[in-house]
Amino acid sequence: MFAKSYSKENGIALVVTLWSLILVSILAVGAISSNRTARALAVNEVERAKAQAAADAGINRALLMLLDSRTSTHWSTDGSNYDFKISEIEVSISVQDEAGKLDLNNAAPNLLLNLFVSTGLSMDQAQALLDCTNDWRDRNNLRRLNGAEEAEYLSANYDYGPRNSSFQSVSEFGLVMGVSNALLKRLQPALTVYSHSPSVDTTVAPFEALLAVPGMTVEHAEKMIKGRLNRENGNKNSALLNEKTLAGRVFTIKSVAEPSGRQQYIRKAVVRVSGNPREPYWVYEWS
């Protein structure tokens, strides 16, 4: 009787021991897995920090080129890409002069109309969008022929009306009646709120903005883009820009850091050159 009881107790102890070993093994595997995950997250954060630092360094490098008084060192300011390695990370940098775009608050009406048509809108649709654009930014509540004021927005189930003031950003244009996300995406490369000019500087204008110039064709615009001098032989656009003054001009600088095999990190800055040696530039956007 005692032998049977002793054997039974041994059996129970063995089962308990086995279950304990299994539990310890599970906990050990979980701990190892957790450590691996924590290590992977830490490595990712380090790589992300490196990419961010490289992208920021790209912005600073472009600023130095803009502010360098030596004409020969200037980059093109038409949005062309410059590729570098910063701390073993591939970085692509571009500088776009905002004077090459259409100012939403100041561009001549025919430029905006041409731009709208260039995206595929009919002339009637483009004229309606131009009227809605003007109704958004003017300071009165008088509706243009094909435009829209507060009553029209409410009738169309918008929960807001026009600002009746200047556009504060290009993204705000997406709130105008008739501007879909797809249309905004097509128009965005050609628009700005920073040039404060009724015209477009065609020497630095992106392709989309060139299409708004009266008499411009796709073929002519492509030819102009290709005709801009190769950076390797010096860039006349940059030289001409330097002969004037940069003071008051606004530039969008984009820096894309792409670590090998990892997700890219993008930094964008919009800066205005002040002409003041103590404060050479002002930052309008940093994203």
Side-chain angles (χ1 to χ4, degrees), residues 2-61:
F2 176 76
K4 287 183 178 180
S5 175
Y6 181 75
S7 177
K8 184 177 181 180
E9 288 175 1
N10 279 348
I12 293 173
L14 180 60
V15 170
V16 170
T17 301
L18 288 173
W19 275 110
S20 298
L21 289 173
I22 291 171
L23 180 59
V24 170
S25 298
I26 291 172
L27 292 174
V29 170
I32 292 170
S33 177
S34 178
N35 286 336
R36 285 177 178 171
T37 301
R39 184 175 181 279
L41 289 173
V43 169
N44 285 340
E45 281 302 311
V46 170
E47 292 301 319
R48 182 178 180 277
K50 286 181 179 178
Q52 181 176 340
D56 289 344
I59 295 289
N60 289 323
R61 183 162 190 167

Side-chain angles (χ1 to χ4, degrees), residues 153-154 157-161:
Y153 278 82
L154 294 177
N157 295 320
Y158 287 82
D159 57 2
Y160 58 86

Side-chain angles (χ1 to χ4, degrees), residues 120-154:
L121 298 183
S122 67
M123 183 56 72
D124 287 343
Q125 290 172 325
Q127 185 60 61
L129 181 53
L130 180 61
D131 284 354
C132 287
T133 301
N134 286 324
D135 280 342
W136 180 278
R137 70 189 184 188
D138 66 21
R139 298 185 181 279
N140 60 58
N141 292 313
L142 300 176
R143 174 178 171 269
R144 287 173 169 77
L145 179 62
N146 299 301
E149 288 290 352
E150 187 171 4
E152 285 69 39
Y153 278 82
L154 294 177

Side-chain angles (χ1 to χ4, degrees), residues 1-2 42 47 83 92 101 110 160 190 195 199 225 249 286:
M1 186 74 177
F2 176 76
E47 292 301 319
D83 298 325
S92 182
K101 301 178 183 179
N110 67 318
Y160 58 86
S195 74
S199 60
I225 295 291
R249 295 184 82 108
W286 186 269

Side-chain angles (χ1 to χ4, degrees), residues 102-109 112-113 115-116 121 125-140 144 146-149 153 162-167 169-170 172-179 183 187 191-192:
L102 284 72
D103 193 296
L104 273 169
N105 298 310
N106 297 280
L112 286 173
L113 195 65
L115 177 64
F116 298 159
L121 298 183
Q125 290 172 325
Q127 185 60 61
L129 181 53
L130 180 61
D131 284 354
C132 287
T133 301
N134 286 324
D135 280 342
W136 180 278
R137 70 189 184 188
D138 66 21
R139 298 185 181 279
N140 60 58
R144 287 173 169 77
N146 299 301
E149 288 290 352
Y153 278 82
R163 176 189 284 275
N164 288 334
S165 184
S166 299
F167 287 96
S169 67
V170 172
E172 183 185 332
F173 185 61
L175 299 176
V176 173
M177 183 180 289
V179 180
L183 179 58
L187 292 169
L191 296 173
T192 184

